[in-house]
Amino acid sequence: MDLLPVIINLLEGPETSGSSSESSTDSEVEEYARIVRIEGYIERVVVNYSETTFKLHFRMHKLIVYQLASRLENSGFIPVHEHGKMKISSEKAMLMTLWYLGNTESFRQVSDRFDVSLSSAHRVIERVLNCILSLRTEYIKWPTQEETEVISKAFATKFGSQNVIGAIDGCHVRIRRPKNDQDSYINRKGYFSLLIQGTVNSFRQFIDVYCGEPGSLHDARLLRRSSLYSKAENNVNFFGNKYLLGDSAYPSLSWLVPPFKDNGALSNNQKVFNFKHSSTRIIVEHVFRLLKGRFRRLQHLENLNINICVKIMMACCVLHNICESKHDNTVIEPYDISSDVNSEIPLQSDVKNVTRHRREQIFEEMFS
């Protein structure tokens, strides 16, 4: 059936009136709307994907995806309808969400691809995000004492100190102009963003994530607002004798060691220290590059709801850890985050208890 005359009539207005003609036009338009959707994408197309093609499209190993779909099925986040329309399966819900996170298509394009309404796409993706977030404490967790020893030994091969258990940094996620308090979301690069503070171990996994603060915050102030800071400052045994590495934007604390500030008068040993520090700490930047390379939605969030944006950011961090813990070998082209990280400009810090004692002690141990 040629629908072009129908569309033209809709734009110009019906030539005749009457319930029968209006009913006919409505049904023809509905049929046109169905045509533009991809019917049976999962049942006819995805089912025939090779493992390589599947990973190319969904950014994750097929086995991991279907394990997640199984957990979604048993989680209760996707309701079971005893009457009415057939429910969207957990398989479709998970694949649709991963497609949305792994690509930069709009909600409308995603709904067309998976043959669901626009409202259903919004609803289902948020439910899947909530399910993924329920796994956060399982996959993003502070290491045990035994795990810290394994982590610190892996870091020691690069840095030369046995007590490093992580590297910390902040990363911007671009967003659309928010409705409220717009100025606070403009970062130093001049665009609107939300922040992720990530602490990464030697195995490219997040051991702590704090996200959702507006982009105008400096890394040092972002740190102070995080639960990691309050835990470290209020519990002397939280880090023990271990510590994190951070860039020069961070204060020097008993549990956080930045490099020496390069004022042009560094000794050779201090330059070596900074080089080892940088080559070890760069793992957190590498993880952010992989995160945005795998989940390309994080390159620019179009959703105007800040709460949904934060859910997307945290869910991607959880999924990253799931992939790393299961040794997902999907080839990911790292994303260039040079414009998405804060420049290493030290702040006249408002963080209390600033001390250089720990850094000096480590320096002396390395070069004594």
Side-chain angles (χ1 to χ4, degrees):
M1 179 178 63
D2 186 3
L3 291 177
L4 184 58
V6 176
I7 298 173
I8 294 174
N9 286 337
L10 282 175
L11 295 174
E12 295 179 347
E15 295 178 357
T16 60
S17 61
S19 59
S20 60
S21 104
E22 290 175 354
S23 174
S24 174
T25 300
D26 288 343
S27 64
E28 289 171 335
V29 172
E30 289 176 2
E31 181 178 351
Y32 176 75
R34 287 195 296 270
I35 289 174
V36 298
R37 291 182 181 172
I38 302 177
E39 296 183 358
Y41 174 61
I42 294 177
E43 298 81 3
R44 301 175 185 176
V45 181
V46 175
V47 70
N48 293 315
Y49 279 164
S50 66
E51 179 65 37
T52 300
T53 304
F54 184 93
K55 290 190 290 187
L56 183 65
H57 283 293
F58 295 99
R59 322 296 290 164
M60 293 171 62
H61 195 286
K62 184 184 292 187
L63 177 60
I64 298 175
V65 171
Y66 280 92
Q67 287 174 344
L68 288 171
S70 177
R71 295 195 67 165
L72 177 64
E73 176 72 24
N74 299 319
S75 68
F77 283 97
I78 301 295
V80 177
H81 305 293
E82 296 181 358
H83 307 286
K85 292 183 178 180
M86 182 181 299
K87 74 162 188 174
I88 295 176
S89 69
S90 297
E91 176 190 16
K92 176 180 278 191
M94 183 57 67
L95 289 173
M96 183 165 57
T97 303
L98 293 178
W99 182 276
Y100 173 73
L101 296 178
N103 296 280
T104 56
E105 291 181 351
S106 66
F107 259 110
R108 186 173 299 280
Q109 291 172 305
V110 174
S111 66
D112 287 346
R113 175 175 292 275
F114 289 88
D115 194 19
V116 299
S117 67
L118 191 62
S119 60
S120 293
H122 278 276
R123 183 175 62 254
V124 169
I125 288 177
E126 185 171 6
R127 286 173 175 170
V128 176
L129 290 175
N130 289 337
C131 178
I132 295 171
L133 291 176
S134 71
L135 306 177
R136 176 182 175 180
T137 56
E138 181 179 344
Y139 286 99
I140 301 179
K141 52 188 177 181
W142 198 253
T144 63
Q145 185 174 354
E146 292 76 13
E147 289 170 339
T148 58
E149 297 302 324
V150 176
I151 294 170
S152 62
K153 287 180 180 178
F155 272 127
T157 58
K158 282 192 174 182
F159 189 54
S161 174
Q162 295 289 338
N163 296 316
V164 181
I165 61 167
I168 186 172
D169 204 357
C171 182
H172 293 273
V173 175
R174 293 172 183 257
I175 61 172
R176 293 175 63 185
R177 180 192 298 269
K179 295 180 180 179
N180 303 315
D181 197 19
Q182 297 177 359
D183 290 345
S184 66
Y185 290 91
I186 300 177
N187 60 34
R188 294 184 62 255
K189 306 289 185 177
Y191 60 85
F192 298 100
S193 68
L194 292 170
L195 283 163
I196 301 178
Q197 176 183 277
T199 308
V200 173
N201 65 17
S202 54
F203 303 107
R204 302 194 309 189
Q205 297 176 357
F206 290 107
I207 57 176
D208 185 84
V209 175
Y210 176 60
C211 62
E213 293 286 357
S216 62
L217 256 65
H218 188 278
D219 281 348
R221 290 188 175 137
L222 178 65
L223 171 68
R224 188 175 183 181
R225 293 195 183 188
S226 67
S227 61
L228 176 64
Y229 178 80
S230 60
K231 290 175 184 176
E233 291 295 302
N234 297 326
N235 183 357
V236 293
N237 296 319
F238 184 73
F239 273 92
N241 68 333
K242 302 297 190 292
Y243 58 92
L244 304 177
L245 299 179
D247 63 29
S248 59
Y250 290 99
S252 181
L253 304 171
S254 61
W255 49 271
L256 177 54
V257 175
F260 288 100
K261 183 179 178 180
D262 189 357
N263 54 12
L266 293 180
S267 67
N268 288 335
N269 284 348
Q270 287 174 327
K271 291 178 181 179
V272 172
F273 178 93
N274 280 4
F275 175 80
K276 290 185 176 182
H277 187 288
S278 176
S279 62
T280 308
R281 176 179 48 81
I282 200 171
I283 190 171
V284 65
E285 295 184 11
H286 182 56
V287 167
F288 280 130
R289 293 174 65 213
L290 290 176
L291 182 72
K292 288 192 170 185
R294 185 189 296 271
F295 304 110
R296 290 174 288 199
R297 179 67 50 185
L298 293 181
Q299 296 174 20
H300 193 173
L301 293 176
E302 293 288 340
N303 201 305
L304 283 173
N305 187 319
I306 296 298
N307 291 331
I308 298 297
C309 291
V310 175
K311 284 185 179 182
I312 291 171
M313 293 157 62
M314 183 60 73
C316 288
C317 292
V318 174
L319 290 171
H320 168 86
N321 271 21
I322 291 175
C323 292
E324 290 297 323
S325 66
K326 295 181 180 296
H327 307 290
D328 187 344
N329 61 354
T330 303
V331 177
I332 301 298
E333 183 68 25
Y335 173 72
D336 181 8
I337 63 167
S338 58
S339 63
D340 297 337
V341 294
N342 278 331
S343 301
E344 296 184 20
I345 299 178
L347 179 71
Q348 189 62 37
S349 178
D350 56 357
V351 178
K352 298 179 181 179
N353 302 325
V354 175
T355 174
R356 291 181 173 80
H357 173 71
R358 187 61 184 271
R359 183 177 62 187
E360 300 296 339
Q361 179 185 17
I362 296 166
F363 177 76
E364 290 175 3
E365 291 174 354
M366 290 177 64
F367 297 98
S368 61

